[in-house]
């Protein structure tokens, strides 16, 4: 189980352009990249979508952790590739699907690495979510790394009792995850109950309308980013609908006995 | 024999253990002590191969942990983690404790006998059919201990075993550990519990910031004010008492209750015979 993957989704306070950006236009950027990757089934476009993110990562000084999340994503990416290719999709199509996944991981990895959970919570409240819900969401985001470390400890504890996760048939292996999953769930429940009690003891939910200490303000640069991103999205949709883009699909696929 | 040679270990890029050398002979009783984050848990995770050294090596009975699997090592090295909630999952305490024996492939007859025995020993006999998840914190801790000790491993490694236990339960645990130790098993405990260590009288390995600060008999290490402070421990109460009486000529190195008592008794008798 790799914890690197979670590192690449964890916020680290830094002073860069992306860190300073309002979470709303930043989310729009991530969403736009993701939406474009969905409407284009084209290996070249997806490669471009992945490449344009590299300068963003560089500018946000998070290269090492971004590589971590990409590396963590490779196992799932490889599964996506082989599941497509081995079930009769062409080589290029399988690669396209894999790239789409990596574009998604990368876009949201950048978003979460550069957005503090507090800003995220404020943004969610701004778009109309009740405080209790936005609080729940940001708390979950915060807890992900903790739970990842906990999962590793549980795996270690059970392996110390002779559990071998990587031996046996597929069904046996799935069964072997029971000793991992139950402690993980039980401890998550225990933790949330304790958290809820601690919150209540500190007056959480005591007043209907709470005045946030900090508020979000869209700066001029934030508006510029939001407008540019919207234009890129509109242009992307327009081009996809009106212009033929070469597909580059060479048609290579695994010959299956029952045909493609 | 547990042998650690030039062990360095890094999580990602951060080195947390620096050049550790340590030999623990069969049948020894060792307490690893040190401040939070000193690297105690990281060190003992090397003893059953959960972690492999970045540099150096760890040998269990002469075989490098690199050349074995955790499952294989778990036959000879029993490691109990700090937090029982990280391992309890079965429907009953009995099944929970039987888990490692079943993994190791013991016949059902042996499983039953050994589970019953360990449950009685750790005062859990009445809970065999209860859900381990519903027990109190101290009971869950003992179920976790039982579930590893049941296979009677040759080397027993316990991470913070006394947390959440009251005095009587600690005494019972200590008797059990001492019994396992007197049967020739190696015992390594990681603990902050200075008084528990004084009662156990083990060899103490003091770890601080990933290096071994001191290694020796418990009394010489725990009565050393400077060492104890460096490792963020509180000195044993007897040691505090005796060093505060050092001005009256008491030996500040005394940390054992009975030695303290006889020293005090002696002085008192002298005083009485001189003045009365
Ligand atoms: N899974 C991990 N990933 C990264 N760093 C870790 C991990 N586990 C422990 N550490 C770090 O290693 C150091 C030693 O930790 P640990 O061995 O748990 O200390 P101790 O058991 O003495 O309290 C600490 O600084 C801790 O933050
Ligand atoms: Mg520890």
């Amino acid at each position: 189980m790799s914890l690197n993957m979670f590192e690449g989704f964890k916020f680290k306070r830094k002073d860069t352009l992306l860190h300073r950006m309002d979470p709303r236009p930043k989310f729009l950027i991530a969403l736009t990249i993701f939406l474009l990757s969905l409407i284009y089934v084209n290996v070249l476009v997806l490669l471009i979508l992945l490449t344009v993110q590299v300068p963003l990562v560089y500018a946000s000084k998070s290269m090492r952790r971004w590589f971590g999340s990409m590396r963590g994503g490779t196992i799932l990416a490889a599964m996506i590739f082989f599941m497509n290719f081995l079930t009769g999709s062409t080589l290029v199509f399988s690669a396209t699907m894999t790239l789409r996944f990596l574009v998604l991981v990368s876009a949201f990895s950048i978003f979460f690495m550069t957005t503090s959970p507090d800003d995220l919570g404020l943004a969610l409240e701004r778009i109309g979510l009740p405080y209790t819900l936005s609080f729940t969401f940001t708390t979950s985001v915060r807890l992900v790394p903790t739970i990842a470390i906990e999962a590793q400890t549980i795996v270690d504890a059970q392996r110390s009792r002779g559990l071998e996760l990587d031996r046996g048939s597929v069904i046996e292996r799935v069964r072997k995850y029971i000793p991992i999953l139950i402690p993980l769930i039980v401890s998550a429940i225990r933790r949330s109950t304790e958290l809820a009690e601690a919150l209540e003891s500190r007056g959480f939910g005591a007043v209907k309308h709470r005045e946030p200490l900090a508020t979000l303000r869209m700066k001029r640069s934030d508006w510029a980013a939001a407008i540019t991103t919207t234009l890129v999205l509109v242009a992307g949709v327009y081009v996809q609908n009106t212009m033929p883009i070469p597909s580059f699909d060479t048609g290579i696929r695994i010959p299956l006995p029952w045909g493609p | 024999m547990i042998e650690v040679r030039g062990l360095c270990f890094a999580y990602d890029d951060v080195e947390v253990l620096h050049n550790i050398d340590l030999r623990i002979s069969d049948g020894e009783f060792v307490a690893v002590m040190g401040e939070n984050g000193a690297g105690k848990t990281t060190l003992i995770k090397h003893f059953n191969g959960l972690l492999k050294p970045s540099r150096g090596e760890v040998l269990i009975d002469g075989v490098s942990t690199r050349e074995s699997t955790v499952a294989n090592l778990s036959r000879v090295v029993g490691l109990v983690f700090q937090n029982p909630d990280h391992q309890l999952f079965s429907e009953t305490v009995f099944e929970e404790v039987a888990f490692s024996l079943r993994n190791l492939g013991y016949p059902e007859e042996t499983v039953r006998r050994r589970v019953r025995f360990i449950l009685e020993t750790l005062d859990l006999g009445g809970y065999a059919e209860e859900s381990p998840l519903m027990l109190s914190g101290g009971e869950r801790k003992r179920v976790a201990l039982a579930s590893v000790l049941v296979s009677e491993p040759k080397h027993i490694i316990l991470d913070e075993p006394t947390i959440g236990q009251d005095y009587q339960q600690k005494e019972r645990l200590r008797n059990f550990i001492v019994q396992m130790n007197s049967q020739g098993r190696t015992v390594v405990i990681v603990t902050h519990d200075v008084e528990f260590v004084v009662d156990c009288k083990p060899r103490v390995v003091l770890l601080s910031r990933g290096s071994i600060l001191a290694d020796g008999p418990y009394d010489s290490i725990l009565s050393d004010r400077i060492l104890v402070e460096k490792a963020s421990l509180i000195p044993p109460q007897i040691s505090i008492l005796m060093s505060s009486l050092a001005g009256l000529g008491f030996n500040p190195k005394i940390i054992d209750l009975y030695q303290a008592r006889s020293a005090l008794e002696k002085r008192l008798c002298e005083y009485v015979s001189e003045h009365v």
Side-chain angles (χ1 to χ4, degrees), chain A residues 4 7 64 150 152-164 178-180 182-184 186-187 190, chain B residues 12-13 45 48 50 69-71 74 77 79 81 85-89 96-97 99-100 103 133 140 147-148:
Chain A
N4 286 338
E7 266 309 295
R64 207 177 56 84
E150 185 154 54
Q152 183 64 58
T153 309
I154 293 172
V155 171
D156 285 350
Q158 305 299 33
R159 287 179 70 205
S160 302
R161 298 165 79 194
L163 181 73
E164 288 178 287
I178 293 174
I180 310 291
I182 292 182
L184 197 58
V186 169
S187 121
R190 229 184 266 274
Chain B
D12 298 323
D13 297 336
K45 278 187 181 175
N48 71 347
L50 281 170
T69 62
V70 177
S74 77
V77 182
L79 197 164
F81 276 64
D85 295 340
H86 286 154
Q87 56 162 287
L88 303 180
F89 72 98
E96 187 69 50
V97 176
F99 179 70
S100 64
N103 282 331
L133 304 176
R140 293 206 295 274
S147 79
V148 171

Side-chain angles (χ1 to χ4, degrees), chain A residues 231-249:
Chain A
L231 288 178
V232 169
L233 179 60
V234 171
V237 174
Y238 179 76
V239 168
Q240 206 272 336
N241 279 307
T242 52
M243 297 181 199
I245 305 174
S247 80
F248 304 101
D249 201 330

Side-chain angles (χ1 to χ4, degrees), chain B residues 7-259:
Chain B
L7 162 64
C8 298
F9 180 79
Y11 287 109
D12 298 323
D13 297 336
V14 192
E15 193 174 277
V16 294
L17 290 179
H18 321 290
N19 205 16
I20 305 275
D21 282 300
L22 185 64
R23 281 167 74 100
I24 300 174
S25 312
D26 287 351
E28 253 194 293
F29 191 163
V30 176
V32 178
M33 307 185 77
E35 78 270 0
N36 260 330
K40 307 178 294 291
T41 302
T42 307
L43 175 65
I44 59 167
K45 278 187 181 175
H46 280 84
F47 293 173
N48 71 347
L50 281 170
L51 296 176
K52 306 276 152 87
S54 310
R55 253 182 302 136
E57 58 182 348
V58 175
L59 307 174
I60 302 299
D61 300 331
V63 180
S64 165
T65 54
R66 284 183 220 277
E67 279 143 35
S68 192
T69 62
V70 177
N72 253 330
L73 283 165
S74 77
R75 289 170 192 278
V76 284
V77 182
L79 197 164
V80 186
F81 276 64
Q82 189 169 342
N83 185 348
D85 295 340
H86 286 154
Q87 56 162 287
L88 303 180
F89 72 98
S90 303
E91 276 187 48
T92 64
V93 168
F94 185 95
E95 285 306 313
E96 187 69 50
V97 176
F99 179 70
S100 64
L101 295 182
R102 299 226 158 97
N103 282 331
L104 299 175
Y106 282 91
E108 194 56 32
E109 181 56 32
T110 315
V111 171
R112 288 191 177 283
R113 188 167 41 80
R114 286 216 191 166
V115 173
R116 293 271 167 228
F117 173 74
I118 193 91
L119 288 183
E120 284 308 324
T121 315
L122 287 177
D123 195 25
L124 291 164
Y127 298 116
E129 297 309 317
E130 309 247 329
S131 161
L133 304 176
M134 293 300 161
L135 302 179
S136 76
E139 289 158 354
R140 293 206 295 274
K141 181 94 195 179
R142 271 177 290 143
V143 175
L145 282 166
S147 79
V148 171
L149 299 184
V150 68
S151 62
E152 306 190 352
K154 188 173 157 205
H155 311 292
I156 298 169
I157 325 280
L158 309 175
D159 201 350
E160 307 275 5
T162 60
I163 284 186
Q165 303 294 315
D166 64 28
Y167 181 71
Q168 277 197 358
Q169 292 164 342
K170 277 196 211 175
E171 275 305 287
R172 202 171 279 131
L173 177 66
R174 186 168 67 85
N175 285 334
F176 181 68
I177 294 175
V178 168
Q179 187 195 333
M180 294 291 247
N181 184 231
S182 63
Q183 291 169 359
R185 295 173 210 285
T186 317
V187 175
V188 179
I189 56 174
V190 167
T191 186
H192 283 110
D193 194 333
V194 178
E195 306 296 338
F196 187 74
V197 170
V198 171
D199 288 341
C200 289
K201 309 189 180 4
R203 160 183 166 198
V204 169
V205 172
L206 218 52
L207 206 61
S208 180
R209 297 186 190 179
S211 301
I212 293 184
L213 199 61
D215 180 350
Y218 79 103
D219 44 0
S220 68
I221 291 196
L222 292 181
S223 62
D224 185 327
R225 274 303 176 81
I226 297 167
L227 279 181
V228 164
E229 191 148 318
K230 268 194 185 163
S232 297
L233 298 169
I234 355 166
Q237 300 214 352
I238 298 295
S239 169
I240 298 176
L241 175 69
M242 294 317 269
S243 38
S244 67
L245 293 179
L248 299 175
F250 285 99
N251 178 4
K253 290 274 165 196
I254 291 180
I255 89 174
D256 183 85
L257 177 64
Y258 300 99
Q259 278 180 25

Side-chain angles (χ1 to χ4, degrees), chain A residues 25-172:
Chain A
K26 201 157 40 179
F27 188 75
L28 190 65
I29 296 178
L31 196 65
T32 299
I33 294 175
F34 176 52
L35 287 178
L36 288 177
S37 80
L38 279 188
I39 60 176
Y40 284 93
V41 191
N42 184 301
V43 73
L44 188 67
V45 176
L46 282 158
L47 264 178
I48 293 171
L49 281 174
L50 194 59
T51 330
V52 294
Q53 297 186 51
V54 177
L56 289 183
V57 182
Y58 185 75
S60 64
K61 298 185 185 156
S62 309
M63 212 57 173
R64 207 177 56 84
R65 290 189 301 137
W66 180 75
F67 269 119
S69 60
M70 296 314 274
R71 214 173 43 211
T74 44
I75 299 165
L76 266 168
M79 269 171 63
I80 293 173
F81 179 81
F82 286 112
M83 284 206 312
N84 276 290
F85 191 54
L86 297 179
T87 52
S89 301
T90 65
L91 191 64
V92 171
F93 182 80
S94 311
T96 312
M97 289 298 132
T98 312
L99 270 172
R100 181 180 282 172
F101 171 73
L102 290 177
V103 167
L104 174 73
V105 170
S106 163
F108 284 94
S109 152
I110 297 175
F111 177 77
F112 283 112
M113 279 194 298
T114 60
T115 310
S116 84
D118 293 324
D119 280 358
L120 197 58
L122 287 174
L124 288 173
E125 276 177 77
R126 265 302 169 87
I127 59 173
L129 220 61
Y131 177 62
T132 41
L133 280 185
S134 74
F135 180 86
T136 309
F137 182 78
T138 51
T139 308
S140 328
V141 171
R142 265 184 234 272
L143 281 180
V144 168
T146 316
I147 292 174
I149 289 177
E150 185 154 54
Q152 183 64 58
T153 309
I154 293 172
V155 171
D156 285 350
Q158 305 299 33
R159 287 179 70 205
S160 302
R161 298 165 79 194
L163 181 73
E164 288 178 287
L165 288 171
D166 45 8
R167 273 185 54 180
S169 70
V170 176
I171 294 173
E172 275 167 2

